[in-house]
Amino acid sequence: MTDCLFCKIVAGDIEPDTVLETDNVLAFRDINPQAPTHVLVIPKRHIESINALTAEDAALVGELYLAARAVAEKEGIAESGYRTVMNCGEGAGQTVFHIHLHVLGGRALSWPPG
């Protein structure tokens, strides 16, 4: 997708503050952090939203969560606690239409969010 911000990051057109990278996943710091640790974990392959996922994407979604765990460990928030969030659609706050998992931590997170 030529107009997708995250696809441009994956292609190397935009340099992120990378935290973790695998063959299929890229994790980088959010440019508008909502917590001391706020990392976005994205698949390198474009998938517009949760609604676009298919059964064939199950392993990739699992990789996103394993990468989130690795990010939490690397950032030192695994033991104290962290939140993972994936928004779906404008009404839920999705602003970049390429699935991404937010990893938030480093402070107490209240509930409910929003």
Side-chain angles (χ1 to χ4, degrees):
M1 301 258 335
T2 57
D3 61 339
C4 172
L5 174 64
F6 292 168
C7 287
K8 289 177 182 178
I9 289 172
V10 169
D13 298 336
I14 299 169
E15 180 88 19
D17 184 357
T18 302
V19 175
L20 180 96
E21 184 170 6
T22 69
D23 289 343
N24 298 315
V25 174
L26 179 63
F28 53 91
R29 297 190 193 286
D30 194 299
I31 61 169
N32 185 26
Q34 301 300 305
T37 298
H38 189 168
V39 175
L40 303 177
V41 181
I42 69 168
K44 290 184 176 179
R45 181 169 54 85
H46 183 83
I47 302 171
E48 185 172 306
S49 76
I50 294 170
N51 290 339
L53 291 170
T54 67
E56 289 77 30
D57 298 317
L60 180 59
V61 173
E63 284 187 58
L64 295 178
Y65 279 91
L66 292 174
R69 182 189 72 189
V71 165
E73 290 171 354
K74 186 173 184 178
E75 294 292 305
I77 61 172
E79 293 302 316
S80 61
Y82 60 98
R83 180 173 292 160
T84 58
V85 177
M86 188 181 294
N87 300 319
C88 183
E90 286 181 34
Q94 185 178 6
T95 58
V96 177
F97 288 86
H98 181 127
I99 63 169
H100 53 286
L101 188 60
H102 297 258
V103 179
L104 301 132
R107 67 169 172 81
L109 300 169
S110 61
W111 193 262

